Amino acid sequence: MDRRVVVGVAIVDEGRVLAALRPGPDGGWEFPGGKVEPGESDQAAAEREIEEELGLRITVGAALPGEQFIGDKYVLRVYLAEPAGHDWLPVLREHTEIRWVQAADLGTLCWLPADRPFLVTLGHHLVADG
């Protein structure tokens, strides 16, 4: 069965990552992002989704290692990104809160299950970036 790709975007700036709180009973902290449309690259989807969800422009970099299944239909890939430009005021369209989180604080948030496996690698990246 082919699974549809979902991209999560770990937006990193000054040794911190942007975490977004998805509301509702199945909510929790996540890397913002969304589904890749047919014919769209993961990177293009990441840029589009962050523009749609937060009104922000980003520059997408490398993917974190691995993939994480979400149910039977989806697979999550997480990409590193950084802010593009200087106008960086997010608009919360799908999230109730965002936070800049340092490596030492990643474990203090209640992350969605699919995002959790990426935290260790991301933490090492944040320490190296900071």
Side-chain angles (χ1 to χ4, degrees):
M1 168 188 234
D2 284 340
R3 294 176 187 255
R4 188 163 177 195
V5 175
V6 174
V7 292
V9 185
I11 304 169
V12 175
D13 188 42
E14 298 179 5
R16 306 170 301 163
V17 66
L18 187 72
L21 182 59
R22 182 164 296 279
D26 295 327
W29 289 94
E30 69 174 357
F31 303 114
K35 296 176 188 83
V36 177
E37 297 297 332
E40 186 178 42
S41 71
D42 289 5
Q43 294 83 354
E47 290 175 359
R48 176 184 52 75
E49 286 287 345
I50 297 304
E51 174 69 33
E52 289 175 3
E53 290 186 7
L54 297 169
L56 300 173
R57 291 172 29 103
I58 57 169
T59 301
V60 179
L64 291 175
E67 297 179 330
Q68 193 63 33
F69 294 131
I70 304 172
D72 294 333
K73 296 181 181 179
Y74 302 103
V75 61
L76 174 66
R77 298 177 184 155
V78 176
Y79 285 81
L80 295 168
E82 58 187 34
H86 300 289
D87 184 21
W88 241 74
L89 294 173
V91 178
L92 299 180
R93 296 183 178 129
E94 295 187 21
H95 299 93
T96 55
E97 184 180 345
I98 58 171
R99 288 186 195 168
W100 286 104
V101 183
Q102 296 179 333
D105 299 322
L106 286 172
T108 66
L109 300 179
C110 185
W111 291 89
L112 292 177
D115 292 69
R116 288 183 201 141
F118 297 96
L119 295 178
V120 171
T121 303
L122 177 62
H124 294 308
H125 178 79
L126 293 177
V127 169
D129 186 59

